[in-house]
Amino acid sequence: MNLQQQALSELQQRIDSAMNVAGRTDSITTVVVTKTHGADMVQNLYDLGIRDFGENRDQEAKPKSEAFQPLEIDYRWHFIGQLQSNKVKSMLSYSSALHSLDRSSLLSELTKRVERELEVFIQLNLTDDPNRGGINPGDLVEFGENVVTNPLLKLMGVMAVAGLDQDPRSEFEKVAKLSQKLQEIAPGATFISTGMSGDFEEAIEFGATHLRIGSLITGNRNSIT
Ligand SMILES: *Cc1c(COP(=O)(O)O)cnc(C)c1O
């Protein structure tokens, strides 16, 4: 059994038990984040049954997506990092989902360039600093209304990264409330992308539907690039 196989099975057990504790029977998507690892890692994970892969830099993801070419197109790339507007076209060439729609200028660029359906999550700014990346809670509804005017952008819901020095529970609770608010104008936007290696159990408790798990599965960053 290789390291990833072991780690995936341990992760699945922890997810199942967190779902049980939360009394949840809905399904959850685990996006395995392969950043800093090569296409060989993606292939290894694919052979172990993983079909959702996450990347946070286009410069790295684009060549990796080209190097990884299994026979069947039954897998998806999720773009999860901050994206420069001039990389939108490239990102669209391989991504099925964008978890980090975090500003109006990015939305404009997407609207200009999108040619087939893209799933999008609105990234929230949970800090008290309105100048940090992400949509401020007070602007979420208006921003969501702008997203849904484009039929090719499928608004999935909200995404957030819990602050390092914050209690993840209180942050995920905020996210859950904002998700409800967004659903008032976009009833289909029921999904929540929260939870990383260090806080996915808390995220599940507060309704996460898409986990983005890297180091717990792939080992330390940069160890196998
Ligand atoms: C790297 C990354 C993750 C995964 O982080 P781990 O702590 O390695 O699980 C999740 N989300 C985003 C946005 C990331 O950049």
Side-chain angles (χ1 to χ4, degrees), residues 33 35 56 80 159 196-197 212-215 221:
V33 180
K35 66 187 183 200
N56 71 336
I80 63 171
M159 178 275 209
M196 309 179 15
S197 292
R212 306 178 311 272
I213 309 285
S215 47
R221 300 211 178 109

Side-chain angles (χ1 to χ4, degrees), residues 82-162:
Q82 200 173 41
L83 184 65
Q84 290 169 268
S85 293
N86 63 2
K87 304 283 194 225
V88 163
K89 189 171 177 221
S90 173
M91 180 280 297
L92 287 169
S93 71
Y94 56 85
S95 301
S96 304
L98 173 68
H99 291 237
S100 45
L101 177 51
D102 60 356
R103 59 192 193 280
S104 296
S105 59
L106 182 57
L107 176 58
S108 312
E109 193 63 22
L110 280 171
T111 299
K112 237 186 274 172
R113 303 228 176 244
V114 69
E115 288 174 347
R116 59 184 166 97
E117 187 178 83
L118 180 75
E119 294 181 352
V120 297
F121 294 82
I122 298 173
Q123 181 167 3
L124 296 166
N125 174 12
L126 296 178
T127 73
D128 296 326
D129 179 355
N131 299 315
R132 290 286 290 275
I135 300 299
N136 293 312
D139 301 329
L140 175 63
V141 166
E142 190 186 342
F143 190 78
E145 280 168 344
N146 291 335
V147 175
V148 297
T149 59
N150 189 319
L152 289 178
L153 298 178
K154 181 177 178 197
L155 181 57
M156 297 288 284
V158 290
M159 178 275 209
V161 178

